[in-house]
Amino acid sequence: MTQLATSVKLTLNNGKTIPALGLGTVPSDDPSDVKDQVITAIKAGYRHIDTAWYYGTEKYVGEALKELFDEGVVKREDLFITTKVWPSFWHSPEKSLDISLATLGLDYVDLFLQHWPVALHGDENGLPAQPRDKDGNLIYDDDPVSGTKFIDAYHSLEQILDNTTKVKSIGVSNYSLHKLKQLLPKVKHIPVINQIEYHPQLPQQDLVDYAEKNGIQISAYSPVGSNGAPVLKLPLIQELATKYDVTVNEVANAYHILQGRSSLPRSSNLERIKTIVRLPSLTKEELASLYQVGVENPTRYINDEWGYGLGFKWWEGDTLSKDFD
Ligand SMILES: NC(=O)c1ccc[n+]([C@@H]2O[C@H](COP(=O)([O-])OP(=O)(O)OC[C@H]3O[C@@H](n4cnc5c(N)ncnc54)[C@H](OP(=O)(O)O)[C@@H]3O)[C@@H](O)[C@H]2O)c1
């Protein structure tokens, strides 16, 4: 019988565990749909929910959790909930976290991530989330290439970890190799996770190796390449799905989970959420062949403007990043 992805737990560098399959909560359309997505996922065995202040869905995640707790389906301690502080709130992560906790109806999150190593010019409430000048350019509080305020923001997360009971672990997201190398010598607590776009079309082995060598686990967002699920069209993914008699989504998740990384799929299709929970036992050779697809033709699907200058490879439109070592 095929193993279940929902039963796999990975151990973080602080000894805590994270369920390997997490449900993403970026809204597909109406954010309130996320409530049913979360309920469906938890009832199907997921124990990990990935959200963020920026997504505007914490309210609906919170409504789902309340219903599940009230009905006795799960207890708070059975779940792993992640939220994140957005760059326009870089100056006040604890305030952002307090808003997230109140909106989620929780008194702690399992993981609090710095969403991006970037400082955007938000007010005391982190607004606007995308501050722009009259020409439409992002307004920064710090230079995205040479600035170091992103390190101050991470220090604020460390203080929350040390001085409160509001978070069990802290980590980062969208850190390139260059940014991780800048951060690590300055930290007291190594981030437990770096959450990045990752799938067979986007190799970035140097970043993954560096993170893992330093005890930072990778969590893969956009595991099927986001809207339109382009990764699932790869012939090799389709072949493997046929071979193991699972869905293409399950092959995409297995690519990460079998290599010690959590995978964070999102879906507005409740049937899909329920049925992508198996873990096919892909061989080492098959995992290597999937990796090779990206080496030959690397493609990144999330190319947000606030990622410019961070030093990522293949970031479409990024003319700021130099050839960092
Ligand atoms: N840290 C960050 O900066 C960051 C950035 C991006 C994402 N994330 C996290 O990662 C989660 C997932 O990433 P994502 O939202 O970019 O995308 P994803 O899970 O890679 O892709 C989701 C999209 O693929 C479609 N899809 C999935 N399976 C399909 C299938 N078999 N056939 C056709 N379409 C299919 C879904 O459509 P249906 O709705 O029809 O299923 C949906 O539109 C997010 O929700 C969020 O929690 C984090």
Side-chain angles (χ1 to χ4, degrees), residues 184-195:
L184 290 196
K186 303 275 184 344
V187 305
K188 175 174 171 201
H189 299 287
I190 302 272
V192 296
I193 290 267
N194 183 18
Q195 189 185 115

Side-chain angles (χ1 to χ4, degrees), residues 154-216:
Y154 185 79
H155 285 154
S156 301
L157 268 65
E158 292 185 311
Q159 281 166 16
I160 298 170
L161 181 67
D162 282 342
N163 302 325
T164 79
T165 54
K166 298 175 194 177
V167 300
K168 299 281 185 205
S169 301
I170 56 170
V172 299
S173 178
N174 295 299
Y175 266 64
S176 60
L177 179 59
H178 176 63
K179 292 289 172 189
L180 270 188
K181 283 184 174 173
Q182 273 185 279
L183 179 77
L184 290 196
K186 303 275 184 344
V187 305
K188 175 174 171 201
H189 299 287
I190 302 272
V192 296
I193 290 267
N194 183 18
Q195 189 185 115
I196 54 170
E197 179 180 341
Y198 202 21
H199 45 69
Q201 287 188 278
L202 188 57
Q204 53 196 348
Q205 194 66 40
D206 48 356
L207 168 58
V208 173
D209 284 348
Y210 182 80
E212 291 179 350
K213 193 181 78 194
N214 285 283
I216 304 169

Side-chain angles (χ1 to χ4, degrees), residues 81-266:
I81 312 288
T82 301
T83 195
K84 317 185 187 87
V85 53
W86 187 250
S88 60
F89 234 148
W90 72 272
H91 45 74
S92 314
E94 189 165 359
K95 184 168 182 184
S96 173
L97 175 64
D98 288 341
I99 294 170
S100 292
L101 289 173
T103 315
L104 287 162
L106 300 177
D107 41 12
Y108 70 90
V109 285
D110 297 274
L111 179 60
F112 190 40
L113 298 180
Q114 182 183 8
H115 211 145
W116 296 79
V118 177
L120 292 176
H121 186 65
D123 69 9
E124 71 279 11
N125 294 310
L127 296 172
Q130 288 183 39
R132 292 184 185 275
D133 65 17
K134 60 179 177 10
D135 300 320
N137 298 313
L138 285 172
I139 309 172
Y140 289 90
D141 277 342
D142 206 10
D143 188 273
V145 179
S146 60
T148 55
K149 287 196 163 71
F150 74 95
I151 298 174
D152 300 340
Y154 185 79
H155 285 154
S156 301
L157 268 65
E158 292 185 311
Q159 281 166 16
I160 298 170
L161 181 67
D162 282 342
N163 302 325
T164 79
T165 54
K166 298 175 194 177
V167 300
K168 299 281 185 205
S169 301
I170 56 170
V172 299
S173 178
N174 295 299
Y175 266 64
S176 60
L177 179 59
H178 176 63
K179 292 289 172 189
L180 270 188
K181 283 184 174 173
Q182 273 185 279
L183 179 77
L184 290 196
K186 303 275 184 344
V187 305
K188 175 174 171 201
H189 299 287
I190 302 272
V192 296
I193 290 267
N194 183 18
Q195 189 185 115
I196 54 170
E197 179 180 341
Y198 202 21
H199 45 69
Q201 287 188 278
L202 188 57
Q204 53 196 348
Q205 194 66 40
D206 48 356
L207 168 58
V208 173
D209 284 348
Y210 182 80
E212 291 179 350
K213 193 181 78 194
N214 285 283
I216 304 169
Q217 203 173 92
I218 296 293
S219 190
Y221 76 65
S222 304
V224 304
S226 208
N227 295 332
V231 171
L232 300 181
K233 298 188 180 111
L234 294 174
L236 182 54
I237 295 236
Q238 301 193 349
E239 268 171 45
L240 292 169
T242 306
K243 174 177 170 189
Y244 288 94
D245 194 20
V246 294
T247 64
V248 277
N249 296 70
E250 287 164 313
V251 174
N253 289 329
Y255 178 65
H256 299 295
I257 296 174
L258 294 171
Q259 300 188 83
R261 308 186 286 260
S262 44
S263 183
L264 305 172
R266 175 236 332 169

